[in-house]
Amino acid sequence: MSDRLDGEKSGTVAWRPPRWLRGPRPEKVPPLVGTAGAVVGLLNLAAGLFPRFRHSRLHALAEVLPGTVSALAAASSIVVGILLLMLAHGLKRRKRRAWVAAVALLPVGIAAQLVYRHSVVGAAFSLALLAFLVWHRRAFEALPDPRSRVKALLNFVALGGISFGLGLVIVNTHPHKIVGDPSVWERIKHVLWGLFGFEGPVRYVNNVDYTVGYSLGALGLLTVATTAYLAFRPEHPAARLTEEDEQRLRELLAKHGGRDSLGYFALRRDKGVVFSPTGKAAVCYRVISGVMLASGDPIGDVEAWPGAIERFMEEARAHSWTPAVTGCSETGGQVWTRETGMDALELGDEAIVDVADFTLTGRSMRNVRQMVKRIERNGYETRVRRVRDLEPEELARIQKAADAWRDTDTERGFSMALGRIDADKDGDAVIATAHLAPAEGEAPGPFGDLKAMQHYVPWGKDGISLELMRRDRSADPGMNELLIVASLQAAPGLKIKQVSLNFAVFRSSLERGEKLGAGPVIRIWRGMLIFLSRWYQIESLYKFNDKFQPRWEPRFVVFRNSRDIPRIGLAALQAEGYLELGLPRALRRKAPAEPQPCAHKDEPITADAVGTAA
């Protein structure tokens, strides 16, 4: 069965209605529809806030309406404006729920603008947008994103702050109709009381009390209503790897896992997966800030990759997510760009050491050799074993030490991180440890003689890929060099032929920029990378890996168009743990603990510590 035609009957052609009956394709809907929604929202907001925008030919008609009706229209205009601003991004992404909400709100906004003496121009814009949305209704079919209850609290804080700010504007928009000269504190109290639906200390003339009171009450009601909706609506869980999915992936890795050193990281439990129609290939992903981010190459048979990629793109289209791939190989990048029409950009290089060629002899290895010898003379010894060969008590001690030695509050890693040490499921993984017996009369540390550890996941049948490295801060410098060398020297006994180290971002640019005769553009780019290395491990990671004389394998990022690159970059930083856009740690709800968790390597890159891939 073909991965492209699964589910289609051969020899038959299904009838399809004419193009004009099926409505426009999603791709034909202008992306400016989101901008149009935001503009109409601002017009509605201005209609309710600023009196100077309310003069029109309908002024005389509005004057005969009761003050209560006028005040309600002002409040409605403000609320509709805020909601349309919130819906603009959903309209741009063709979200069905955003379309339904916008179509329901626009008539209210049109009526509110006309009743509250706003120019006919604003109502005309709203009517034009409403007509456009109704005509293109078939294009807005994107499914909702995975949700979290945390968004309810974020909405309350953000919208509450916006409502308070707008409330101050509303209170001070009518300076000539305020009775007396209330202080700033009295105006603030008036806003706060008004948001809760009570009358504040500020007084107005000419029925302006109704307008201000209804507007403030509407803002408070909007904040409470949207927060309650987000808190109690049905939750759409984020994609997670099920036991069945994991078993299918392990079967694919057993057959084809040697093709990509990042393949085993597909078994992270916070990833979703789509399989090709034949089940011979799969793409693992994670959705972050509207970006459907895959990492590494597809898993499985290369011939079946197109089917898995097609399913991946279908899923992205169904939810209107931005598809992207980070860290794929050159072969993977070629297949992705050929099958999807997307573009690729070289992201960096992966350091791979061939065990048969590794040696500590020679001038190029002098620094590493001297460091390792010095540490060994200080009494350190190393052990390199498969995880399944460790005693449960020792494995538990290593896990506790790794958690205690983590350098950051957040767990880092996505494309080259597994996030756990599990003897049952990941028994073929390799652990390298460094030990130092306590001096005579000295009490052992909390983890005995353990001073550093490294964790490598399987890469096919004869390779391993570095996943985690941690060390005791009191240990001698050079622990990571010591354990990498120990792992390479022990590799033949474990039937390991190649070891993948870290991924160095923009390595080729750094290398070319420091060469004699490098042009001004590449020198400027290298200078920017070195500057960014103060916060992100760019140059230091490249220099550390280069000590072991690896061969460099390029890795690529695949993207749909250049304007998506900033969003993809932010999503990748979030996925790797370098950027957090959620709640503060103290307010975060704790997730259920995974059995035997262990976070990704996250130490800073120095002479004695290596950190996570960017």
Side-chain angles (χ1 to χ4, degrees):
M1 178 171 54
S2 169
D3 278 307
R4 293 180 178 278
L5 303 176
D6 183 42
E8 296 184 7
K9 296 180 180 180
S10 59
T12 62
V13 179
W15 179 84
R16 302 182 73 189
R19 173 76 265 161
W20 63 275
L21 282 178
R22 284 182 276 137
R25 295 187 181 92
E27 292 77 13
K28 296 297 184 181
V29 175
L32 290 178
V33 66
T35 304
V39 170
V40 172
L42 289 173
L43 289 174
N44 277 274
L45 199 58
L49 288 177
F50 303 107
R52 59 179 176 274
F53 289 151
R54 297 196 213 112
H55 299 290
S56 72
R57 295 177 181 177
L58 298 176
H59 178 84
L61 176 62
E63 284 294 324
V64 302
L65 294 174
T68 304
V69 174
S70 181
L72 283 173
S76 299
S77 186
I78 293 172
V79 170
V80 169
I82 294 175
L83 289 175
L84 286 176
L85 287 172
M86 296 172 65
L87 293 170
H89 185 62
L91 291 176
K92 181 180 179 181
R93 295 177 59 200
R94 301 182 292 106
K95 294 294 185 180
R96 184 67 181 177
R97 290 186 176 180
W99 179 89
V100 171
V103 169
L105 287 170
L106 283 170
V108 178
I110 294 171
Q113 290 188 60
L114 293 176
V115 170
Y116 199 49
R117 295 172 290 174
H118 187 262
S119 171
V120 179
V121 175
F125 272 112
S126 299
L127 185 61
L129 179 60
L130 177 61
F132 178 87
L133 293 177
V134 172
W135 178 256
H136 292 272
R137 60 190 178 279
R138 296 182 184 275
F140 294 85
E141 298 176 348
L143 301 174
D145 291 345
R147 297 190 181 93
S148 171
R149 305 294 187 200
V150 173
K151 289 187 177 180
L153 182 56
L154 289 175
N155 177 84
F156 180 78
V157 174
L159 192 55
I162 293 172
S163 297
F164 178 77
L166 290 176
L168 286 176
V169 174
I170 293 171
V171 168
N172 294 284
T173 300
H174 310 271
H176 302 297
K177 297 184 180 181
I178 297 178
V179 177
D181 186 21
S183 65
V184 174
W185 174 239
E186 287 178 322
R187 296 171 191 248
I188 292 175
K189 286 197 297 182
H190 192 85
V191 173
L192 294 175
W193 281 110
L195 290 176
F196 286 96
F198 299 103
E199 188 175 344
V202 181
R203 295 290 180 268
Y204 298 87
V205 296
N206 297 335
N207 292 324
V208 175
D209 294 86
Y210 288 106
T211 303
V212 174
Y214 275 104
S215 299
L216 292 177
L219 287 174
L221 182 62
L222 174 65
T223 303
V224 173
T226 54
T227 301
Y229 169 73
L230 291 172
F232 298 108
R233 65 180 173 172
E235 190 168 5
H236 294 254
R240 289 290 184 270
L241 204 63
T242 65
E243 292 293 335
E244 180 183 355
D245 290 338
E246 182 177 345
Q247 182 58 37
R248 294 177 67 183
L249 286 174
R250 289 184 182 276
E251 292 173 359
L252 293 177
L253 288 170
K255 297 178 182 178
H256 308 282
R259 184 176 294 279
D260 184 15
S261 62
L262 273 60
Y264 202 85
F265 299 116
L267 299 177
R268 282 180 63 102
R269 292 174 183 140
D270 60 354
K271 288 184 177 181
V273 60
V274 289
F275 289 91
S276 67
T278 59
K280 295 180 180 179
V283 175
C284 295
Y285 67 92
R286 185 175 167 191
V287 179
I288 303 172
S289 299
V291 176
M292 190 176 183
L293 191 64
S295 61
D297 292 343
I299 308 299
D301 187 356
V302 176
E303 297 297 326
W305 283 7
I309 291 173
E310 186 175 355
R311 288 285 178 86
F312 176 88
M313 298 301 292
E314 288 175 357
E315 189 79 4
R317 282 192 294 270
H319 293 83
S320 192
W321 290 329
T322 300
V325 187
T326 178
C328 64
S329 68
E330 187 169 2
T331 300
Q334 289 173 348
V335 177
W336 273 101
T337 54
R338 184 185 71 227
E339 296 297 324
T340 64
M342 294 198 292
D343 204 354
L345 179 69
E346 186 173 345
L347 183 61
D349 297 88
E350 178 186 9
I352 298 175
V353 180
D354 294 312
V355 173
D357 299 332
F358 178 76
T359 177
L360 282 176
T361 61
R363 185 176 182 84
S364 60
M365 297 297 294
R366 179 181 178 183
N367 290 337
V368 176
R369 183 173 63 249
Q370 290 179 343
M371 179 173 289
V372 170
K373 294 297 182 183
R374 175 181 57 80
I375 296 174
E376 289 177 342
R377 285 196 299 269
N378 289 342
Y380 286 87
E381 66 174 56
T382 58
R383 302 168 194 168
V384 182
R385 295 156 290 176
R386 297 280 186 184
V387 172
R388 62 171 176 265
D389 295 331
L390 273 72
E391 294 295 330
E393 295 79 9
E394 183 179 6
L395 181 59
R397 185 170 68 252
I398 293 173
Q399 291 167 342
K400 291 179 181 178
D403 288 339
W405 295 338
R406 188 170 65 189
D407 187 60
T408 59
D409 291 336
T410 58
E411 184 173 322
R412 288 183 176 175
F414 170 67
S415 56
M416 296 185 71
L418 187 62
R420 66 176 184 267
I421 301 175
D422 193 326
D424 295 329
K425 294 189 175 182
D426 310 309
D428 287 336
V430 172
I431 280 189
T433 54
H435 304 263
L436 178 65
E440 186 176 352
E442 182 182 355
F447 308 108
D449 61 354
L450 183 65
K451 293 299 180 182
M453 61 81 63
Q454 290 181 357
H455 183 229
Y456 298 80
V457 300
W459 171 14
K461 297 180 180 179
D462 57 3
I464 53 175
S465 183
L466 179 59
E467 190 263 338
L468 175 73
M469 49 180 65
R470 300 275 169 76
R471 69 178 184 89
D472 189 335
R473 293 298 177 183
S474 65
D476 290 1
M479 287 291 104
N480 289 314
E481 288 89 339
L482 173 69
L483 290 180
I484 289 176
V485 169
S487 300
L488 290 168
Q489 291 176 338
L494 298 174
K495 298 181 180 180
I496 294 170
K497 297 181 180 178
Q498 52 188 351
V499 178
S500 169
L501 301 179
N502 287 280
F503 173 70
V505 180
F506 302 124
R507 182 206 65 87
S508 58
S509 299
L510 292 169
E511 184 181 52
R512 290 196 301 267
E514 64 185 1
K515 287 184 177 179
L516 181 66
V521 176
I522 191 64
R523 286 182 180 274
I524 292 173
W525 176 231
R526 179 177 179 273
M528 291 178 60
L529 293 176
I530 292 176
F531 176 75
L532 291 174
S533 293
R534 299 179 180 180
W535 298 277
Y536 300 102
Q537 301 162 358
I538 299 176
E539 184 187 29
S540 53
L541 190 58
Y542 158 52
K543 294 294 186 182
F544 180 88
N545 289 327
D546 201 47
K547 294 179 182 180
F548 303 96
Q549 302 297 305
R551 57 181 168 90
W552 296 99
E553 294 290 337
R555 291 281 175 172
F556 299 84
V557 58
V558 179
F559 53 94
R560 189 169 50 187
N561 50 58
S562 56
R563 67 173 177 268
D564 290 336
I565 291 179
R567 288 190 65 198
I568 295 170
L570 287 174
L573 288 175
Q574 288 178 257
E576 297 290 351
Y578 285 100
L579 180 67
E580 275 196 280
L581 300 180
L583 290 172
R585 189 183 182 194
L587 298 178
R588 250 177 270 154
R589 182 177 59 182
K590 287 188 177 181
E594 293 280 358
Q596 299 180 331
C598 191
H600 183 48
K601 50 186 180 292
D602 53 15
E603 292 185 1
I605 300 295
T606 61
D608 61 318
V610 130
T612 182

